Amino acid sequence: MPRELGPVIFQSGLHPYVNIALNLLVGGLIFARWLWNADPLYSQSRFYRFLIFVTSLFLIFITFLQTQFVNSSDSFLLQMGAAVLAVFTIFLFGRVIPTSLPPARLVEVIKKLAVVLCWLSFILFFISPDTCFKGGRFIGIFKHIPHMVSTATIACFTLFYFIFSKKLNRKQLYINWFHFALCFYLLLLTGTRSSLAAVALGLFLAMVVFGSKSDATRVLKFSLALTGFLVVIFFGDSLSRYAIGVARGEESIGQRAAQDGIESRWQEVQRGYEIFEKDQWLGQGLLSKFSSANEADISNYNANKDPHNIFISAGVIGGWVFIVLTLIAFAAVGLAALKSLRSKSDAIKLLAIYVLTHLPILFIYHIHLSIGGIADRFYWIAFGYMALKENDLHHDEPK
């Protein structure tokens, strides 16, 4: 893949504007069908619908104020366009898809897609290993690390649904575990500590939440529990020291060098707070992570202007009011995830486990409103499914 090729390829991958155009085209058709169909398959809670309506309305309103009083010298159309895209992301992935597609079907489709992408990345690792790493971290067939991390993580979680919820024969079970081992290995190569911890915790929760559908699954659960017990007994002290070192960034993981993780994160928080202090009531806008909004040039992205804390990120985007909205939403997501663990749908239980294990990740990263981010889309899909009314869910999930 060339480094850059006209308006189609950028940084050895799909150009962000092409990505946006495809989202608008395909997503727009799905949106139009949803609007045309007066009776969607499922309905969502009134609180969730009200919260995303208020959030969307606020994003449009605060962006308009920013065009007049904060970023008046920058492009009005580009700023308002960013707000419209953020609202489109929320509604398409948080409202339209969850009310139109059965949760079990969604998990099945996502699993097949994510596993295929992981296998393609693994194959490319042998064909062209030099292009599979960026800064010592595995990127596979993608152009940026977050895409590889999100895909491998989502693949691992959706495989839990098949391993622990479906009634599989021994051959099918082994195949799914083999897929999981591959995806987890690729995730290890990315050196992403938070996602590895989320998958490990997700595995434990899936074993607890899902009942055993077959004798093979029961034997497997017992074997894993016994293995874990023996590992803790004989290697617990060494493992705990290493785990603490990994969490702090003091131990290397994969090909990612050791670093002071706590100090680097705190520096990012401080940088974000300095940006927030520039205008605490109106914020800096959705395009604040770009050095200039005068030109539609995505090469102006500056990672140092992307606060790594969800509340500071909200403050930078929309000031104190958006911080309050984000705080309410964050608390609601946590409660909804706990409640969804008792859902009659195993697929929604799986999505709830994904969200619960990712709450710390949501907290230490920026607010997810980008239509181009894989993680952003999947978070809103998970939120939307957890907001479905239980009375609407079907009992006949395919087994």
Side-chain angles (χ1 to χ4, degrees):
M1 186 71 70
R3 172 73 180 177
E4 190 167 351
L5 183 62
V8 179
I9 304 300
F10 182 76
Q11 293 180 343
S12 303
L14 192 65
H15 199 289
Y17 295 147
V18 178
N19 191 352
I20 291 172
L22 289 173
N23 271 277
L24 290 175
L25 177 61
V26 179
L29 293 174
I30 297 172
F31 210 132
R33 182 178 179 273
W34 183 75
L35 292 173
W36 183 265
N37 184 5
D39 186 23
L41 189 61
Y42 303 108
S43 58
Q44 294 170 309
S45 71
R46 185 176 300 175
F47 174 80
Y48 176 76
R49 286 181 284 137
F50 177 73
L51 185 61
I52 65 170
F53 172 76
V54 171
T55 300
S56 301
L57 194 64
F58 175 78
L59 284 173
I60 297 293
F61 176 69
I62 198 67
T63 301
F64 176 77
L65 292 181
Q66 288 160 357
T67 64
Q68 303 302 308
F69 303 108
V70 181
N71 305 314
S72 57
S73 62
D74 296 334
S75 170
F76 174 86
L77 290 178
L78 196 59
Q79 292 180 74
M80 293 306 299
V84 170
L85 285 176
V87 171
F88 183 80
T89 302
I90 293 172
F91 270 83
L92 175 62
F93 297 102
R95 284 278 289 136
V96 177
I97 292 176
T99 58
S100 306
L101 192 66
R105 178 61 180 159
L106 179 278
V107 173
E108 289 175 356
V109 170
I110 294 294
K111 175 253 184 181
K112 290 177 182 178
L113 180 60
V115 169
V116 166
L117 293 175
C118 285
W119 270 105
L120 291 175
S121 296
F122 183 67
I123 293 171
L124 186 64
F125 175 68
F126 293 98
I127 297 176
S128 181
D130 292 339
T131 63
C132 285
F133 287 86
K134 180 180 287 187
R137 300 176 66 184
F138 186 71
I139 61 172
I141 62 171
F142 302 96
K143 66 176 182 178
H144 295 309
I145 295 166
H147 299 324
M148 184 70 251
V149 173
S150 296
T151 301
T153 303
I154 291 169
C156 289
F157 274 89
T158 50
L159 282 164
F160 292 155
Y161 172 73
F162 286 80
I163 293 170
F164 297 111
S165 175
K166 295 271 191 175
K167 193 170 185 179
L168 306 176
N169 58 40
R170 185 167 297 182
K171 179 182 177 181
Q172 293 171 324
L173 194 62
Y174 288 157
I175 290 174
N176 279 280
W177 272 112
F178 185 67
H179 288 323
F180 172 78
L182 170 80
C183 297
F184 190 79
Y185 174 68
L186 296 185
L187 189 59
L188 185 66
L189 289 180
T190 68
T192 310
R193 299 181 295 269
S194 55
S195 294
L196 286 167
V199 171
L201 181 58
L203 173 61
F204 172 76
L205 289 177
M207 292 175 60
V208 173
V209 171
F210 294 116
S212 300
K213 304 295 182 181
S214 64
D215 291 338
T217 305
R218 280 190 285 271
V219 171
L220 179 64
K221 282 187 176 182
F222 176 77
S223 300
L224 288 174
L226 181 60
T227 301
F229 176 75
L230 293 175
V231 167
V232 170
I233 290 295
F234 292 105
F235 307 104
D237 186 53
S238 299
L239 282 175
S240 63
R241 287 198 301 269
Y242 178 73
I244 292 172
V246 168
R248 290 175 172 266
E250 297 166 354
E251 295 282 351
S252 62
I253 187 166
Q255 294 193 25
R256 187 179 185 181
Q259 61 182 31
D260 191 337
I262 295 178
E263 178 62 25
S264 63
R265 284 295 175 191
W266 182 243
Q267 289 175 356
E268 291 168 348
V269 169
Q270 288 176 318
R271 280 199 304 266
Y273 188 76
E274 289 173 2
I275 300 172
F276 167 62
E277 284 187 310
K278 292 179 181 179
D279 198 320
Q280 297 186 21
W281 290 104
L282 290 181
Q284 299 295 310
L286 288 160
L287 297 176
S288 59
K289 64 185 71 176
F290 296 86
S291 59
S292 173
N294 281 313
E295 297 180 3
D297 187 0
I298 38 81
S299 62
N300 284 333
Y301 172 76
N302 185 350
N304 289 333
K305 293 186 178 182
D306 204 354
H308 280 63
N309 177 277
I310 190 170
F311 300 118
I312 294 178
S313 177
V316 169
I317 290 173
W320 279 109
V321 176
F322 202 39
I323 290 178
V324 173
L325 283 174
T326 303
L327 180 61
I328 295 171
F330 189 82
V333 163
L335 292 174
L338 290 172
K339 181 180 178 182
S340 296
L341 290 177
R342 302 179 61 185
S343 173
K344 63 183 70 171
S345 167
D346 281 356
I348 290 183
K349 289 179 182 177
L350 183 278
L351 293 174
I353 291 172
Y354 175 85
V355 171
L356 273 177
T357 57
H358 279 72
L359 284 178
I361 299 176
L362 275 168
F363 179 79
I364 64 174
Y365 280 88
H366 55 83
I367 198 164
H368 292 276
L369 295 172
S370 171
I371 198 171
I374 295 175
D376 302 58
R377 304 177 205 178
F378 198 72
Y379 278 134
W380 281 106
I381 285 174
F383 300 158
Y385 274 102
M386 291 192 308
L388 295 183
K389 293 182 178 179
E390 281 291 312
N391 292 335
D392 288 349
L393 296 175
H394 302 302
H395 294 275
D396 54 342
E397 284 196 355
K399 300 296 182 184

